[in-house]
Every structure is written in C-alpha cells, then in structure tokens.
C-alpha cells in the first residue's frame, strides 16, 4: 500500500477533525507505526481496519474510521449527483420507515431504521405520523436505527411538541466556528402527537442521529426510553475519498444539548427502563396497554387493551 494513501488520510484528519489536538496525536501515532513497518503489505481492507482501530485507540470516536467503498461511490460525482444518489437510496429504503402499525388497544407503532433528511423524507414522515395520530399511546422503535440527518430528527420530533419553542439540539461546526440551533417547527403537515405517552425502544445498535432522537426526547422529558444503552456517537460526520475505493469518515462537528450542555458521545444514551433489546417492545407495549385502560377510550378499544394485556404471548410477539 502506497504511503500516499496514509498521508492523504492523515491530511484530511488533521484538516477536518472537530478535535484538532486529538487529530495531531492520532496522526503522530500512525506515522510512528508506519515508520516501524506496521502497514507494509496490507491491502486496502486490512489497512482500513488497522487505521480505524488505531484512530479509535487515540480518539475514542466511533464515527472516525477508514473504510472501503464501492468505486462508483467515489467516481468524480458532483454534489448534485451525490444528492440525487442519496435521495434514491433513501427512497428505496422508504425513508427509513420500515413499519407503521396500529396495535390492539389502539397503540401506535413506528419502526424507524434510518432518519431521512427532511427535504427528502418529509412527506413520508408526515404520512407515518398521520397513521398513528389518533392512537392512545405511541411506541417508536429505534433498535435498528444507525443514524441519518439532524434536520430529519427535528422534523420527526416536532410532532411531539406543541409549538416552535422547544430548543432540541445545537451543533457546533469546527471549520466555521458557528453553532446551529435546531428548534421544533412552527408548522407541520398533519396533527401533532401531544398529551399522550411516547416510548422509544433502544439497543446497542442505535447510533448517531438515532441517538439524538432518543437524547433530545429524554432531555425534555417527552418520552420513556426502554431497552439498552445506545452505541455512543454524537459527532456529525463527512466522508472524504482517499482512493477510488477507500474513504475516511471524519467528525466535523459536535452536538451540544441546550438542556444538559453535553451529549452522548462515548457514553451512549442510557434508557429509563433497562431491559434486553429483544424484550423492549413487549415491555413498552404492556406499559402502553396499562395506560390505555386509564383513559376514556371507547369500550371497544378498552376491550382490545384488556384482551392484549391478558395475553402475554401476544404482547411478547408484538
């Protein structure tokens, strides 16, 4: 492997990483290992794996990594082509919405695998929220959510707050020195989901923007998190090509909660109710059904809730 590949990776790291001192320390460590011959004879996949491990050893940042990509993804695409490719990818993934359902007892369920940019996924997000808008309680499943867009998080969460007066998150950009604030939106297509309980399911897989979704709701006391502590990545990232098939992902910004003053980097988001991820849905569904029985829902809904609550097998299979 050419030394130029490592030099290019380190140049990008030092120029763009949100923590310059850590970037310098990591670059120095990797140069020492290169001089010792540690990377001699490694092909791209093995070099990517080794560099990622060494970057994590110094920086402890799960967004900071070197990885192999298909050549087409780095083939001289213009920003417009990159945007079009992204929109096509999220369209085929249904904008991250894997499942929308009304469970027995009039409990809403959303399975979100990705947080789409609001400019691409806004209509789908609005449609999903419309389908659960008249439920008595809502479960949002982020156990397989690996991230996405901060403005997508804002769009989703705005349905759970009454107006535009909730400061959800801020992101500090290292290159410009500017801080962008993300507030709940003043207007949304469809109804907001207010005055009803929301549970969010988490796992060790939940990452990045999926974690922001959890952290913001928990910080504002708007949802109960059920499951496992999340993976722990709070730094917005950009991807930079090193070769046609190799790239480095570099965190270029960091999240700052207006409530806590910090974020979930390295620690993950700790759930309010800790259970194995595989039991999180059954636990949340049981809690939701218990809530339904305290409401003035129609008799048919209350009967559904009682039946579901008295059938542990059905709840476990939810």
């Amino acid at each position: 492997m050419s030394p130029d590949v490592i030099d290019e990776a380190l140049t990008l790291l030092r120029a763009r990483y949100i923590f310059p001192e850590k970037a310098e320390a990591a670059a120095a460590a990797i140069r020492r290992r290169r001089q010792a011959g540690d990377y001699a004879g490694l092909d791209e996949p093995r070099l990517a794996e080794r560099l990622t491990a060494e970057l994590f050893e110094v920086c402890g940042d799960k967004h900071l990594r070197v990885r192999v990509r298909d050549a087409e993804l780095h083939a001289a695409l213009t920003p417009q082509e990159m945007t079009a490719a992204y929109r096509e990818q999220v369209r085929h993934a249904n904008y991250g919405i894997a499942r929308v359902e009304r469970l027995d007892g009039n409990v809403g369920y959303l399975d979100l695998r990705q947080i789409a940019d609001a400019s691409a996924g806004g209509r789908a997000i609005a449609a999903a929220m419309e389908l659960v808008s008249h439920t008595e309680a809502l479960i949002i499943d982020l156990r397989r959510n690996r991230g996405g867009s901060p403005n997508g998080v804002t769009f989703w969460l705005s349905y759970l707050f009454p107006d535009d007066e909730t400061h959800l998150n801020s992101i500090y950009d290292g290159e410009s020195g500017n801080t962008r604030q993300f507030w709940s939106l003043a207007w949304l297509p469809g109804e907001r989901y207010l005055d009803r309980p929301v549970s969010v399911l988490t796992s060790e897989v939940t990452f990045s923007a999926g974690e922001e979704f959890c952290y913001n709701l928990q910080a504002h006391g708007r949802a109960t998190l059920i499951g496992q502590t999340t993976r722990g990545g709070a730094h917005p990232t950009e991807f930079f090509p090193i070769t046609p098939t190799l790239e480095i992902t570099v965190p270029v910004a960091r999240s700052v909660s207006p409530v806590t003053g910090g974020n979930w980097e390295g620690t993950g988001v700790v759930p309010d109710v800790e259970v194995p991820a595989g039991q999180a849905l059954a636990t949340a569904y049981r809690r939701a059904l218990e809530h339904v029985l305290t409401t003035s829902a129609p008799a048919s809904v209350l009967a559904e809730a009682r039946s579901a609550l008295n059938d542990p097998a059905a709840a476990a299979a939810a």
Side-chain angles (χ1 to χ4, degrees):
M1 183 60 59
S2 168
D4 292 343
V5 171
I6 296 175
D7 285 338
E8 179 65 16
L10 297 183
T11 296
L12 290 165
L13 172 71
R14 294 172 64 241
R16 300 303 305 273
Y17 190 40
I18 184 63
F19 300 111
E21 292 183 0
K22 289 184 178 181
E24 294 295 342
I30 288 170
R31 288 195 184 98
R32 286 194 298 269
R33 286 172 170 162
R34 182 178 62 183
Q35 290 172 356
D38 287 5
Y39 309 123
L42 296 182
D43 59 12
E44 280 194 348
R46 289 190 295 164
L47 178 64
E49 183 179 356
R50 180 76 63 82
L51 291 176
T52 296
E54 289 162 2
L55 289 169
F56 185 78
E57 181 181 321
V58 175
C59 302
D61 192 323
K62 293 177 181 177
H63 274 113
L64 179 59
R65 54 195 185 270
V66 178
R67 64 186 184 185
V68 174
R69 299 293 299 276
D70 292 336
E72 307 87 70
L73 298 177
H74 290 311
L77 293 176
T78 66
Q80 293 77 16
E81 290 170 327
M82 289 292 288
T83 298
Y86 164 78
R87 288 178 176 271
E88 187 69 5
Q89 182 268 322
V90 296
R91 183 176 71 84
H92 283 289
N94 200 36
Y95 305 99
I97 305 167
R99 181 176 159 197
V100 184
E101 188 172 351
R102 176 198 178 274
L103 304 177
D104 283 351
N106 201 28
V107 175
Y109 174 74
L110 297 171
D111 183 359
L112 308 183
R113 309 288 176 84
Q114 178 182 358
I115 307 297
D117 188 285
S119 66
R123 289 176 60 193
I125 294 168
M129 289 304 299
E130 180 65 25
L131 290 174
V132 300
S133 63
H134 299 294
T135 56
E136 309 294 335
L138 180 61
I139 299 169
I140 303 175
D141 193 342
L142 300 182
R143 288 176 295 176
R144 285 179 277 187
N145 192 299
R146 298 178 182 272
S149 167
N151 70 39
V153 173
T154 297
F155 195 84
W156 276 110
L157 296 193
S158 292
Y159 281 93
L160 306 180
F161 294 93
D163 48 39
D164 60 350
E165 296 185 5
T166 302
H167 185 183
L168 297 168
N169 191 31
S170 293
I171 294 180
Y172 169 77
D173 179 77
E175 185 174 27
S176 68
N178 295 330
T179 298
R180 178 181 176 184
Q181 296 182 348
F182 293 81
W183 290 71
S184 54
L185 302 176
W187 181 87
L188 293 166
E191 298 181 33
R192 295 178 191 262
Y193 198 92
L194 306 175
D195 304 319
R196 285 163 285 174
V198 177
S199 297
V200 178
L201 311 185
T202 63
S203 77
E204 295 174 340
V205 172
T206 311
F207 191 54
S208 195
E211 294 178 282
E212 184 198 335
F213 194 113
C214 301
Y215 193 89
N216 293 352
L217 288 176
Q218 187 181 61
H220 285 281
R222 181 60 185 95
T224 300
L225 273 53
I226 300 174
Q228 293 175 299
T229 300
T230 62
R231 190 175 169 195
H235 298 151
T237 302
E238 292 185 13
F239 309 142
F240 301 99
I242 301 170
T243 74
T245 55
L246 197 69
E247 71 180 7
I248 183 170
T249 69
V250 182
V252 298
R254 58 184 173 86
S255 295
V256 182
S257 168
V259 177
T260 69
N263 60 42
W264 58 96
E265 179 64 35
T267 63
V269 185
V270 180
D272 302 298
V273 179
E274 188 168 359
V275 297
Q279 298 175 20
L281 178 52
T283 301
Y285 187 32
R286 183 170 59 253
R287 291 167 63 99
L289 291 170
E290 290 169 349
H291 164 75
V292 172
L293 293 178
T294 69
T295 71
S296 57
S300 59
V301 169
L302 296 177
E304 275 187 357
R306 289 191 192 96
S307 177
L309 197 56
N310 291 329
D311 185 357

